[in-house]
């Protein structure tokens, strides 16, 4: 009996023609990571024009690589492209805010409803509140906003669903843009830090129904606050 000789399938052999795309894809992904981080931390604020020559020079990448990165960020709703003008950090609309908060009501509300302090230790919630308090003590209100998102991200994670976590990742990122649009981070974030503590306390004390209502009121008030501010800030 003749032992067959393994030969590469022609389809697989043809793949070698595209191996150079792996490096380019990796570079575009890494470029997107760097630009995304600068957008989310507020270094590149909503409405900022993203200069291709400056970014290419700073990162040592080609325009093609950068444009691939921009395409990823456009899909993530962090960047807009305007014909004959270029790419800009996206400014979420008031309608976007409404959708974001609707997602939060569904996902966070379900998490609080199903939370049992006797079964699950709210370690991540406590850690996020501690970071928020530390930032507030330093008057770092952008940091408070980041910790606020971390707190509510930890609430959503109580659903114990990787699919929900993946879906909500874009919500949290877009919410960061919304927070950067707000003109006065102190006035915006300070009262909600107090309310996060109150929600947390109700949850750990087993006052589930009260915690659900507190969260629902929190989200309604925050959405109203932001959308009202948008009428003055966003043309």
């Amino acid at each position: 009996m003749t032992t067959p000789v393994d030969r590469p399938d022609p389809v697989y052999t043809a793949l070698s023609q595209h191996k150079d795309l792996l490096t380019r894809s990796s570079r575009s992904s890494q470029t997107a990571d760097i630009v995304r981080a600068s957008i989310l931390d507020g270094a590149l604020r909503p409405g900022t024009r993203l200069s291709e020559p400056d970014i290419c020079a700073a990162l040592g990448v080609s325009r093609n690589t950068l444009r691939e990165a921009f395409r990823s960020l456009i899909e993530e709703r962090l960047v807009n492209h305007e014909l004959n003008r270029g790419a800009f950090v996206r400014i979420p609309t008031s309608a976007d805010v409404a959708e974001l908060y609707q997602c939060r009501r569904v996902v966070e509300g379900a998490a609080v409803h199903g939370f049992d302090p006797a079964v699950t230790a709210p370690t991540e919630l406590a850690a996020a509140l501690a970071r928020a308090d530390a930032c507030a003590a330093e008057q770092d209100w952008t940091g408070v906003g980041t910790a606020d998102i971390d707190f509510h991200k930890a609430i959503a994670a109580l659903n114990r669903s990787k699919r929900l976590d993946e879906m909500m990742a874009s919500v949290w990122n877009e919410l960061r843009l919304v927070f950067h649009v707000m003109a006065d981070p102190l006035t915006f974030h300070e009262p909600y830090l107090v309310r996060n503590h109150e929600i947390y306390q109700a949850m750990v004390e087993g006052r589930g129904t009260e915690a659900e209502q507190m969260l629902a009121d929190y989200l309604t008030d925050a959405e109203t606050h932001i959308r009202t501010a948008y009428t003055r800030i966003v043309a």
Side-chain angles (χ1 to χ4, degrees):
M1 182 175 179
T2 304
T3 303
V5 177
D6 288 336
R7 290 187 176 85
D9 188 299
V11 173
Y12 298 142
T13 303
L15 291 179
S16 65
Q17 300 173 19
H18 307 288
K19 62 184 179 182
D20 62 315
L21 295 177
L22 294 174
T23 301
R24 187 164 74 238
S25 175
S26 175
R27 285 180 68 78
S28 68
S29 177
Q30 292 168 355
T31 300
D33 290 344
I34 293 169
V35 176
R36 183 190 303 107
S38 294
I39 291 171
L40 296 181
D41 69 16
L44 294 170
R45 299 189 66 79
T48 300
R49 184 176 182 279
L50 298 171
S51 168
E52 288 189 9
D54 289 343
I55 296 175
C56 288
L59 299 181
V61 297
S62 69
R63 286 203 172 192
N64 283 341
T65 295
L66 180 59
R67 287 171 181 173
E68 287 180 20
F70 281 169
R71 280 194 285 273
S72 296
L73 297 174
I74 288 168
E75 290 177 1
E76 296 173 26
R77 300 172 63 84
L78 296 178
V79 168
N80 275 342
H81 184 270
E82 298 183 17
L83 188 62
N84 299 324
R85 295 193 65 211
F88 293 79
V89 179
R90 188 168 176 271
I91 302 175
T93 66
S94 181
D96 291 328
V97 173
E99 288 192 14
L100 292 172
Y101 275 83
Q102 180 58 18
C103 288
R104 294 185 64 184
R105 286 186 187 90
V106 172
V107 175
E108 292 186 58
V112 172
H113 179 78
F115 177 71
D116 183 349
V119 175
T120 304
T123 307
E124 292 300 321
L125 278 73
L129 286 177
R131 289 194 296 275
D133 289 340
C135 288
E138 297 293 328
Q139 298 293 298
D140 175 9
W141 296 103
T142 297
V144 172
T146 298
D148 173 274
I149 290 175
D150 288 343
F151 175 76
H152 288 275
K153 186 188 297 184
I155 288 179
L158 294 173
N159 284 299
R160 298 174 182 269
S161 168
K162 289 184 178 180
R163 291 178 186 239
L164 276 179
D165 291 344
E166 290 171 359
M167 181 194 79
M168 290 297 290
S170 64
V171 171
W172 304 126
N173 284 350
E174 198 169 348
L175 192 64
R176 293 279 288 274
L177 285 186
V178 171
F179 283 2
H180 290 319
V181 169
M182 301 302 288
D184 187 349
L186 166 60
T187 302
F188 177 63
H189 290 301
E190 189 172 35
Y192 295 105
L193 174 55
V194 174
R195 294 174 71 170
N196 281 341
H197 276 282
E198 293 170 348
I199 293 168
Y200 172 80
Q201 201 62 36
M203 290 175 66
V204 298
E205 291 176 1
R207 294 182 280 123
T209 301
E210 186 178 349
E212 282 186 69
Q213 188 58 56
M214 292 167 70
L215 174 66
D217 292 343
Y218 172 107
L219 293 174
T220 296
D221 291 346
E223 178 188 347
T224 301
H225 187 168
I226 292 170
R227 296 184 73 184
T228 299
Y230 258 52
T231 62
R232 300 188 304 270
I233 299 169
V234 180

